[in-house]
């Protein structure tokens, strides 16, 4: 079987673990081919490093889409993250439409804000554009802040500390059950954090958790969503994929050996993630047909 292939549409920061510097090694460690589509290049991520450089690559999205389409490329997933403008979101939507097929999951991490506030670069118009892009998702991975922005709710109303509340908001985000949702930040017992998972295949909501590590670590959401995407294209069920994501993110936070602003110190544990993916692989291979059969490589 060929390695599953994921097109990852994210920005790239030269220093600081987030976006593509998390996505590429994480998927690779899991045995998944990552095909990056950089939306911008930054000298560092925007959290705590002062004035970073910013090279906008929006004008590359359309020609990349056209070239890859001309090559007959096929993907097991398109996975999107932080967007820098409404135009980027529109071009990303075009990319998704160009490569969408039944075997290709669209995983959208609607990166817009945290701790009850949109990021400083996000205008109300951009939040609306992200909500429109999210309509294309097969799997949506918001945190509590992003859930409030997508649903047009006040942040304080999005409570994620009881099963009934988690189920309510996860199902509200599912667009009448037509997309799966992994709602990050659920905390049903003290000292833990995880996610509420609405699975559109079963119509059921389940819960995953891992030990909570105090601190604010940049790139945590990128790591969680990357592990989730990798596990899904390997054939893991949604709840198992989310549980792996929660556990691995928690493990990385517990062994943190660098300043928090540099992001999670995840590289030394990638061997463990790869081992877990490989151990589960025989159970999934029988369920996967060749996803690239017929594609012109």
């Amino acid at each position: 079987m060929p390695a599953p292939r994921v097109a990852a549409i994210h920005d790239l920061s030269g220093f600081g673990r987030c976006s593509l510097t998390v996505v590429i090694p994480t998927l690779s460690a899991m045995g998944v081919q990552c095909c990056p589509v950089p939306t911008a290049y930054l000298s560092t991520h925007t959290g705590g490093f002062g004035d970073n450089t910013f090279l906008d690559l929006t004008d590359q999205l359309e020609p990349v889409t056209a070239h890859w389409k001309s090559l007959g490329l096929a993907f097991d997933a398109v996975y999107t993250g932080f967007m820098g403008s409404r135009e980027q979101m529109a071009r990303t939507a075009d990319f998704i439409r160009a490569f969408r097929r039944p075997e290709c999951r669209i995983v959208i991490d609607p990166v817009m804000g945290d701790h009850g506030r949109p990021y400083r670069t996000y205008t109300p118009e951009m939040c609306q554009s992200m909500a429109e892009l999210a309509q294309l998702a097969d799997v949506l991975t918001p945190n509590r802040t992003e859930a409030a922005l997508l649903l047009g709710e006040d942040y304080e109303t999005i409570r994620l500390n009881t099963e009934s509340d988690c189920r309510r908001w996860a199902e509200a985000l599912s667009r009448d059950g037509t997309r799966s949702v992994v709602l990050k930040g659920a905390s049903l017992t003290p000292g833990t954090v995880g996610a509420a998972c609405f699975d559109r295949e079963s119509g059921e909501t389940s819960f995953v958790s891992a030990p909570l590590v105090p601190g604010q670590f940049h790139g945590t959401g990128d790591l969680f969503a990357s592990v989730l995407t990798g596990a899904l294209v390997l054939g893991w069920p949604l709840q198992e994929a989310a549980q792996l994501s929660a556990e691995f993110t928690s493990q990385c936070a517990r062994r943190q050996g660098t300043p928090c602003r540099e992001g999670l110190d995840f590289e030394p544990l990638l061997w463990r993630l790869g081992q877990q993916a490989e151990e589960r692989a025989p159970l999934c291979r029988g369920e996967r047909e060749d996803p690239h059969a017929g594609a012109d490589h």
Side-chain angles (χ1 to χ4, degrees), residues 128-151:
Q128 177 58 39
S129 292
M130 180 60 83
E132 293 168 3
L133 178 64
Q135 296 297 313
L136 299 175
D138 295 313
V139 183
L140 190 68
T141 65
N143 61 27
R144 181 182 168 196
T145 300
E146 291 150 359
L149 292 169
L150 289 170
L151 293 171

Side-chain angles (χ1 to χ4, degrees), residues 12-35:
L12 173 63
S13 294
F15 188 77
R17 298 174 179 89
C18 70
S19 302
L20 285 175
T21 54
V22 169
V23 176
I24 296 171
T26 299
L27 291 177
S28 296
M30 298 180 75
V32 176
Q33 180 188 6
C34 180
C35 302

Side-chain angles (χ1 to χ4, degrees), residues 108-113 139-151 160 169-170 173 179-186 194-196 224-225:
I108 293 181
D109 189 8
V111 183
M112 292 187 285
V139 183
L140 190 68
T141 65
N143 61 27
R144 181 182 168 196
T145 300
E146 291 150 359
L149 292 169
L150 289 170
L151 293 171
L160 301 180
W169 296 118
L173 288 159
R179 64 186 176 201
S180 296
V181 175
V182 178
L183 177 53
K184 299 174 290 189
F224 184 102

Side-chain angles (χ1 to χ4, degrees), residues 5 35 67-75 98-99 101 295-297:
R5 183 185 295 156
C35 302
H67 186 207
W68 285 5
K69 195 66 179 175
S70 73
L71 295 174
L73 297 183
F75 299 98
F99 290 101
R101 60 196 181 97
D296 181 11
H297 300 309

Side-chain angles (χ1 to χ4, degrees), residues 141-220:
T141 65
N143 61 27
R144 181 182 168 196
T145 300
E146 291 150 359
L149 292 169
L150 289 170
L151 293 171
E153 296 282 350
D154 184 88
Y155 173 72
E156 294 301 328
T157 68
I158 308 290
R159 298 292 182 180
L160 301 180
N161 51 12
T162 68
E163 287 194 10
S164 60
D165 281 341
C166 288
R167 184 174 287 107
R168 171 190 175 189
W169 296 118
E171 292 178 2
L173 288 159
S174 74
R175 200 179 57 188
D176 296 325
T178 60
R179 64 186 176 201
S180 296
V181 175
V182 178
L183 177 53
K184 299 174 290 189
S187 181
L188 303 183
T189 57
T192 67
V193 68
C197 308
F198 174 82
D199 190 339
R200 70 177 182 183
E201 301 300 325
S202 65
E204 298 179 353
T205 301
S206 57
F207 304 91
V208 302
S209 65
L212 171 65
V213 180
Q216 184 176 351
F217 305 97
H218 290 283
T220 302

Side-chain angles (χ1 to χ4, degrees), residues 251-286:
Q251 290 165 5
C252 293
R254 287 201 303 273
R255 76 160 309 280
Q256 186 70 10
T258 59
C260 291
R261 70 173 184 171
E262 294 183 16
L264 287 172
D265 191 13
F266 71 98
E267 294 92 344
L269 294 181
L270 284 176
W271 68 270
R272 183 179 298 172
L273 180 64
Q275 186 178 67
Q276 290 174 293
E278 182 60 28
E279 288 173 353
R280 182 71 166 74
L283 300 176
C284 299
R285 284 180 182 137

